[in-house]
Amino acid sequence: MIHFSLMQEAGLSVAAMSDKSDGDCGSRDEAVPNTEAFMTLAGAPGVRPVRVRQVHGIAVVCAEEARGASLEADGILLGKAGIAAGVSVADCAPVLLFDPLVRAGCLLHAGREGSFRNIAGTGVALLTHRFGSQPSSLVALIGPCAHGCCYEVSPELAAQWHRAGYACRDRFLDIPGTNSAQLEKAGVFRHNIHIVPHCTVCGGVFFSYRTDKTSNRNLVVMMV
Ligand SMILES: [Zn+2]
């Protein structure tokens, strides 16, 4: 597992991501023991993260309403201490947003489709709407995901990405760069946006759908 120490320095009580060494931390029942062990390592023993049924959309729900509800969404808003949000990823980008002034945050699952539809900007807008956050106060982190070195897509998809003006090189999409640009456009300062420079596809540390076609997942957890 890795701790996102920059986010913890900004004030998040827990910000971490499981890797292969933690085993599958996906949503299946068999993954519960791994998830519990990972939560202990992450600094939240006994805490069960609130999760959603991720559908590659841009819906973002509040942790309180999502708890035990099995909602379809790809983002979770956090405004209360003691509640953890979790998203599963294997090459999609986890995006963590935190407002240290009002102590609210948002955890997003930004894959190709969610990124194309600007889930990062949606997260910023909802933090503003629900908690009165100023985008200029937000600290953001884009965690390990498929980077531009490895995210090759069809010519059609690449053309769509180019037309939208999103970051890409030939047929290689730059998911972290796209989310970073969207956050900046939403008002987050560039110096408050951190990209973890680790590609899940060629890095070997995390479960990667592109590399292994695996159903195993890395779990990203966040607590304000
Ligand atoms: Zn790579």
Side-chain angles (χ1 to χ4, degrees), residues 145-151 198-203:
C145 60
H147 277 236
C149 44
C150 292
Y151 205 154
H198 185 97
C199 172
T200 51
V201 179
C202 61

Side-chain angles (χ1 to χ4, degrees), residues 9-190:
E9 280 164 25
L12 273 182
S13 58
V14 174
M17 177 167 167
S18 71
D19 61 33
K20 281 183 184 171
S21 69
D22 301 294
D24 176 26
C25 289
S27 304
R28 295 179 295 190
D29 290 344
E30 305 91 283
V32 169
N34 289 342
T35 301
E36 287 176 353
F38 163 66
M39 289 303 290
T40 300
L41 285 175
V47 176
R48 199 172 188 172
V50 172
R51 299 169 87 147
V52 285
R53 279 193 290 132
Q54 300 171 199
V55 291
H56 295 279
I58 57 168
V60 180
V61 295
C62 286
E64 288 90 336
E65 61 180 305
R67 184 144 58 175
S70 187
L71 297 180
E72 282 191 357
D74 287 274
I76 303 171
L77 286 167
L78 280 171
K80 266 192 192 154
I83 301 181
V87 297
S88 309
V89 286
D91 297 337
C92 289
V95 179
L96 289 76
L97 303 173
F98 178 55
D99 181 342
L101 298 182
V102 298
R103 298 206 57 78
C106 185
L107 177 60
L108 304 167
H109 162 245
R112 178 173 53 77
E113 291 175 49
S115 297
F116 190 80
R117 293 172 60 194
N118 190 16
I119 192 170
T122 304
V124 173
L126 285 171
L127 278 171
T128 302
H129 181 71
R130 291 295 288 246
F131 300 105
S133 292
Q134 295 296 319
S136 56
S137 305
L138 297 180
V139 183
L141 180 136
I142 300 161
C145 60
H147 277 236
C149 44
C150 292
Y151 205 154
E152 188 175 16
V153 295
S154 68
E156 293 75 22
L157 279 173
Q160 192 186 40
W161 214 264
H162 279 284
R163 273 199 304 274
Y166 290 153
C168 56
R169 179 180 49 82
D170 300 326
R171 284 169 53 182
F172 290 83
L173 308 185
D174 179 354
I175 297 286
T178 298
N179 280 275
S180 172
Q182 290 168 338
L183 289 170
E184 218 181 312
K185 201 170 174 194
V188 183
F189 288 144
R190 183 179 293 185

